[in-house]
């Protein structure tokens, strides 16, 4: 079946602009994660959704970052007033049920802030 | 100090060699231990999972966890050029918030 998909695959934006990154999880998966991966580093946890609610958003770096999952499926990561330091690959993963160790990752969105 | 430490490599080995990849960690609450493989410009792919201490084998891959030493390992037997990738260790206390190591880049030469 279809895996996790993320759009766009690449996004270039100017400093100060607003961006939205979309994640379509595997159908039926209830848990969804967002991570950020910088060059040469492992994925850094941002936020975890159980269904529609954010169960743990402790990894969001500041209030410029926000994520939603209104219907318990598709999720959008929103970044306001982008900064050059936000440049990274943003990864989304989904799990078949809450608390599962199995995370299935999408290919990521490569964000470049100029 | 990072919660999870992993040597970034690169590690270069000849085809057929046994590869040993390792991570150390500081949080004694970690119970779930995973290894992911990541090819260039792709998302990580789950390879192995171990709960608590012990060994687990799957084909050419063996994962070991020593909670008393806060040390985990992944062994790859009969390594192949297709195994060339970045290997990420990952850990979790509750099964959801997951902390990743920085990844070790592995090159297997034909």
């Amino acid at each position: 079946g279809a895996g996790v998909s993320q759009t766009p695959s690449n996004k270039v934006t100017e400093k100060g602009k607003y961006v939205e990154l979309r994640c379509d999880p595997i159908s039926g998966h209830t848990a969804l994660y967002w991570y950020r991966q910088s060059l040469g580093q492992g994925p850094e946890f941002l936020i975890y959704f159980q269904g529609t609610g954010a169960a743990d958003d402790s990894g969001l770096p500041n209030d410029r970052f926000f994520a939603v999952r209104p219907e318990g499926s598709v999720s959008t990561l929103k970044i306001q007033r982008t900064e050059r330091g936000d440049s990274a690959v943003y990864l989304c993963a989904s799990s078949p049920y809450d608390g599962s160790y199995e995370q299935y990752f999408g290919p990521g969105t490569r964000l470049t802030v100029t | 100090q990072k919660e999870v430490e992993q040597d970034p490599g690169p590690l270069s080995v000849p085809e057929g060699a046994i590869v040993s990849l390792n991570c150390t960690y500081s949080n004694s609450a970690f119970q779930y231990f995973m290894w992911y493989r990541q090819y260039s410009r792709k998302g990580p792919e789950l390879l192995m999972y171990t709960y608590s201490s012990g060994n687990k084998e799957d084909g050419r891959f063996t994962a070991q966890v020593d909670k008393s030493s806060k040390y985990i390992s992944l062994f790859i037997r009969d390594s192949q050029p297709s195994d060339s990738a970045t290997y990420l260790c990952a850990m979790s206390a509750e099964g959801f918030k997951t902390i990743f190591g920085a990844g070790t880049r592995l090159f297997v030469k034909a």
Side-chain angles (χ1 to χ4, degrees):
Chain A
V4 177
S5 63
Q6 293 186 245
T7 54
S9 55
N10 284 283
K11 176 71 176 178
V12 180
T13 191
E14 292 180 349
K15 179 176 179 294
K17 298 290 189 182
Y18 168 84
V19 296
E20 289 190 352
L21 311 178
R22 177 185 167 110
C23 172
D24 280 84
I26 293 172
S27 178
H29 280 197
T30 58
L32 186 144
Y33 305 77
W34 283 99
Y35 294 86
R36 177 169 69 176
Q37 187 173 26
S38 300
L39 192 63
Q41 299 298 315
E44 173 193 8
F45 172 84
L46 295 177
I47 188 169
Y48 162 65
F49 285 91
Q50 289 179 353
T52 60
D56 186 345
D57 63 358
S58 62
L60 294 177
N62 51 58
D63 60 6
R64 295 187 298 105
F65 289 75
F66 189 71
V68 295
R69 195 185 183 201
E71 297 178 356
S73 179
V74 170
S75 176
T76 304
L77 179 66
K78 308 181 181 193
I79 310 174
Q80 298 177 322
R81 304 183 305 279
T82 52
E83 300 177 357
R84 292 194 180 88
D86 298 335
S87 296
V89 176
Y90 288 81
L91 293 164
C92 175
S94 68
S95 289
Y97 55 88
D98 299 334
S100 168
Y101 66 86
E102 296 179 83
Q103 295 185 34
Y104 297 85
F105 281 82
T109 293
R110 185 173 299 273
L111 176 66
T112 303
V113 182
T114 62
Chain B
Q1 184 189 5
K2 292 183 180 179
E3 275 190 289
V4 178
E5 298 279 358
Q6 183 174 11
D7 187 337
L11 180 62
S12 184
V13 301
E15 183 176 359
I18 297 175
V19 176
S20 172
L21 303 166
N22 311 291
C23 288
T24 59
Y25 63 95
S26 57
N27 187 348
S28 58
F30 288 145
Q31 301 185 77
Y32 301 84
F33 302 92
M34 287 73 71
W35 285 95
Y36 285 82
R37 178 174 61 196
Q38 186 173 26
Y39 292 112
S40 181
R41 295 188 173 262
K42 301 288 187 184
E45 169 195 13
L46 181 65
L47 273 180
M48 298 284 289
Y49 154 75
T50 309
Y51 174 73
S52 194
S53 284
N55 294 359
K56 188 170 186 177
E57 188 173 320
D58 184 2
R60 296 185 296 113
F61 299 90
T62 299
Q64 289 186 351
V65 174
D66 182 348
K67 289 190 72 178
S68 62
S69 301
K70 296 190 179 69
Y71 188 87
I72 72 170
S73 301
L74 177 71
F75 298 95
I76 307 174
R77 289 183 299 280
D78 187 26
S79 55
Q80 303 295 310
S82 59
D83 294 328
S84 298
T86 296
Y87 290 80
L88 299 155
C89 63
M91 312 179 185
S92 172
E94 314 93 346
F96 36 90
K97 181 175 179 177
T98 303
I99 307 300
F100 283 80
T104 299
R105 293 185 67 191
L106 172 67
F107 296 95
V108 181
K109 298 171 294 185

